[in-house]
Amino acid sequence: MTGKGVASIGECMLELSGQAGPNWHMGFAGDTFNTLWALHALSGNRPATYVSAFGDDPFSRDQIAFFAQNGIGIGASPIIAGARPGLYAITLTGAERSFTYWRGDAAARQLASNAAALAKSLENQALVYFSGITLAILDDASRKTLLAAVAKARAAGSLVAFDPNYRPRLWRRREEAQTAILDALAVTDIALPTFPDEQMLFGDSAPQKTAERLGKLVGEVVLKNGEEPALIAANGTLQPVPAVHVAAPVDTTGAGDSFNGAYLAARLAGHAPTDAVLRAHRVAAAVVQVRGALAPFETLRAAFED
Ligand SMILES: Nc1ncnc2c1ncn2[C@@H]1O[C@H](COP(=O)(O)OP(=O)(O)O)[C@@H](O)[C@H]1O
Ligand SMILES: O=C(O)C(=O)C[C@H](O)[C@H](O)COP(=O)(O)O
């Protein structure tokens, strides 16, 4: 692994969380941003870059300002005249989240429109992270540009981490998602999938089956499964690591993303996979106790170090 920074590629939206109606809280979130948020909170002084494309409207400007206030840059990401960010709202059934999106014409869909700018944003990174949602918002040609840029960063020494994060509504056909995600796994060093997503996408009958399948494709796999144990697949073995019991979860949005950020921060700091999963479980357990995808840096740090 060479390079100093951490970069995450994808779409950050406007997020409506909390109560439906006049008391909605608006924040900024999106799976790859949520992961970078936790990774940045927990990985000390590494420069953090969110790689995307942005509009030039007041909401895009506020979003970029919010990143900057929190120490996150946008690298060489394009700012596109007339474009604007996507929006999503969280609906809770108990603590389990579901999403409604308004994102079809979001600026982020153009994140690979300038291949040179994308490659520049990925230079000198210790870690490059992306997800199946990053793939889902791109057309075929842009997906190829993205995977080529990731492969180039990897060849230059970056560690590549990927969460398949399957969102059926973002794909035209399940087969298209399967192909794109397998292509992404072929350039991945650390895969961080979630069992229910993999079951939907590949029909796996049990977490062990998913971990074994993915363990043949990627050197280091951590399979999340809500409050059930996570499974580490590495060096041909499977190891379960129990989650933290949370008596009253509030909103599970961003739990998996924050888990990923904490796991990667721990691995970059030299912790072994098992210790990294224990830290990631603690961080995710803290995130399910707050509304919306992002928890305050201090909350994340306290859980990570606990
Ligand atoms: N109800 C819960 N109680 C405790 N921890 C949870 C709970 N739900 C999620 N987590 C934590 O968040 C991680 C990711 O959750 P999961 O639901 O599998 O991912 P995603 O948010 O991607 O669907 C789990 O591995 C666990 O650490
Ligand atoms: O769905 C999308 O496109 C989003 O990016 C919205 C959410 O912020 C993440 O999906 C949350 O991800 P989980 O950690 O799996 O709860």
Side-chain angles (χ1 to χ4, degrees), residues 61-232:
R61 282 202 293 274
D62 282 357
Q63 196 177 47
I64 294 167
F66 171 77
F67 296 176
Q69 278 153 22
N70 289 287
I72 297 173
I74 62 165
S77 302
I79 295 187
I80 295 159
R84 56 188 186 163
L87 166 75
Y88 80 105
I90 301 171
T91 301
L92 292 173
T93 310
E96 199 43 56
R97 86 286 187 274
S98 59
F99 306 126
T100 306
Y101 301 120
W102 295 263
R103 67 193 303 186
D105 63 351
R109 297 200 172 228
Q110 299 180 59
L111 68 81
S113 59
N114 181 334
L118 178 59
K120 186 153 180 46
S121 294
L122 301 187
E123 279 171 9
N124 200 27
Q125 304 294 353
L127 181 97
V128 170
Y129 178 82
F130 69 121
S131 80
I133 298 177
T134 316
L135 300 172
I137 62 169
L138 300 178
D139 61 27
D140 282 349
S142 302
R143 235 175 255 156
K144 284 204 176 73
T145 305
L146 171 72
L147 291 185
V150 169
K152 188 174 166 213
R154 190 183 192 212
S158 302
L159 202 59
V160 174
F162 174 73
D163 182 343
N165 242 346
Y166 179 48
R167 299 284 184 272
R169 264 172 304 151
L170 297 183
W171 294 93
R172 275 174 306 214
R173 292 179 305 114
R174 192 168 81 133
E175 294 69 25
E176 188 187 2
Q178 288 173 335
T179 304
I181 285 170
L182 290 172
D183 287 348
L185 290 168
V187 295
T188 294
D189 299 296
I190 303 180
L192 298 164
T194 299
F195 176 63
D197 290 359
E198 295 301 304
Q199 189 169 44
M200 257 190 295
L201 184 55
F202 288 102
D204 299 326
S205 57
Q208 287 73 10
K209 299 282 182 207
T210 304
E212 279 165 16
R213 177 174 58 77
L214 293 174
K216 291 182 188 133
L217 303 176
V218 177
E220 183 172 333
V221 179
V222 181
L223 179 68
K224 296 153 280 168
N225 192 14
E227 58 195 320
E228 299 300 316
L231 268 182
I232 304 173

Side-chain angles (χ1 to χ4, degrees), residues 35-59:
T35 296
L36 185 66
W37 176 265
L39 178 55
H40 175 56
L42 303 173
S43 61
N45 53 8
R46 290 184 186 275
T49 305
Y50 193 61
V51 183
S52 188
F54 299 92
D56 60 353
D57 64 301
F59 289 94

Side-chain angles (χ1 to χ4, degrees), residues 11 13 15 29-32 34 88 97 99 101 103 133 165 167 170 252-258 293:
E11 175 176 12
M13 295 170 280
E15 177 193 75
D31 69 330
T32 45
N34 310 339
Y88 80 105
R97 86 286 187 274
F99 306 126
Y101 301 120
R103 67 193 303 186
I133 298 177
N165 242 346
R167 299 284 184 272
L170 297 183
T252 56
T253 306
D257 306 329
S258 311

